[in-house]
Amino acid sequence: MDRSTFSVDGKPMSESEIDIVIEGRRRSLAGFPVRRVLPFTRRRMVGPFVFLDEMGPHVLAPGQGLDVAPHPHIGLSTLTYLFSGELLHRDSLGTVQSIRPGEVNWMTAGSGIVHSERTPPALRAQGHELFGVQAWVALPREEETRAPSFQHFGEGAIPHIRQDGVEIRLLLGEIEAACSPVPSYSPAVYADVTLARLRGMALPERYEEIAVYVVGGELLDENGTTYGQGNLVVFGSPGQTIRAGMSGPLRALILGGDRLEGKRYIDWNFVNSSKERIARARADWASQRFPPVPGETEFIPLPKGLSPVVDYP
């Protein structure tokens, strides 16, 4: 099998082919419920993915909304993807961009960017459900100080693959002959996948590390073990076959890529290969030396009493 292709059916994965299963932990983001998947104590990264939060699903009553005030990032790209609802992104580059289901917001912090994410006024007034995922992708060392940038990709720009009960929306990287327009700075893959009942799919082999996050339904292995919503199944080797559970279809996110060179450190919203850059970013934010988000007056203060910078192998 070509290293960039996938196939359907085939032998399901076995428990021995699974490196670790991570169950998302409940957290709160500006009062909004999220499920924190990465980082995890025993698995800091999958390929270049260093952070994964599932937002909701949560119904917001009329007058309620998500309000994440301006906050900084360095050394990473963020990928925001929604299943339902809408968010309004603003950043220090002057970007004002709504994101809706099936679209991708790709923000590369590089040397430093500030952004906010809020429920748009019209939806706040009427109430709605918000459900989505935000991932952080650490940058290679040579890209960590690049100029910050933001790109939005409409639903029509995202490759959509359908084959024998498998449906794939390719958010990042390559699968089959399809290539996402989202500009990853290292080999990485991120896809929204739906499998029909009992249908299987072989994961792409071209990436060193690969994992599947269960959004809905159940993932089934050959021993009959199922992995339900909120579980990240990390594989010990690429090319394994995943299968929808007995009870119905599976919706999942496939994510991974090649390992980055050297260590990464994380402190709050800062990810970098250099502790000195992180210390400088902390000091700059505490003194409000980052560029502001036009039209925003709020900001999230630098948290106090954080533990020492965490090493990411």
Side-chain angles (χ1 to χ4, degrees), residues 133-205:
V133 180
Q134 186 171 98
W136 296 358
V137 182
L139 293 173
R141 283 176 174 169
E142 64 271 17
E143 300 289 352
E144 287 180 327
T145 57
R146 69 178 291 115
S149 62
F150 176 88
Q151 292 169 278
H152 172 81
F153 298 87
E155 185 177 10
I158 303 301
H160 198 169
I161 307 166
R162 295 181 178 91
Q163 178 181 321
D164 298 332
V166 178
E167 186 173 349
I168 301 173
R169 292 176 175 85
L170 184 57
L171 312 180
L172 190 68
E174 300 178 19
I175 294 179
E176 268 294 289
C179 180
S180 170
V182 180
S184 176
Y185 299 102
S186 66
V189 65
Y190 193 36
D192 175 11
V193 174
T194 301
L195 299 181
R197 184 173 180 266
L198 298 183
R199 179 62 68 185
M201 169 187 165
L203 298 173
E205 293 184 348

Side-chain angles (χ1 to χ4, degrees), residues 266-270 282 302-309:
I266 186 168
D267 185 327
W268 191 38
N269 300 316
F270 307 129
R282 285 181 59 87
L302 182 73
K304 296 180 180 179
L306 288 181
S307 59
V309 174

Side-chain angles (χ1 to χ4, degrees), residues 31-73:
F32 187 87
V34 301
R35 196 191 302 264
R36 179 72 41 81
V37 184
L38 288 176
F40 183 66
T41 306
R42 292 187 290 126
R43 186 73 189 214
R44 297 293 186 183
M45 299 176 71
V46 179
F49 284 81
V50 73
F51 179 93
L52 188 69
D53 255 9
E54 182 186 71
M55 305 175 286
H58 185 69
V59 176
L60 294 156
Q64 295 182 338
L66 174 66
D67 286 293
V68 182
H71 58 281
H73 291 285

Side-chain angles (χ1 to χ4, degrees), residues 76-78 106-110 113 139 143 146-150 183 185:
L76 54 82
S77 295
T78 66
W106 177 251
M107 183 185 76
T108 296
I113 198 169
L139 293 173
E143 300 289 352
R146 69 178 291 115
S149 62
F150 176 88
Y185 299 102

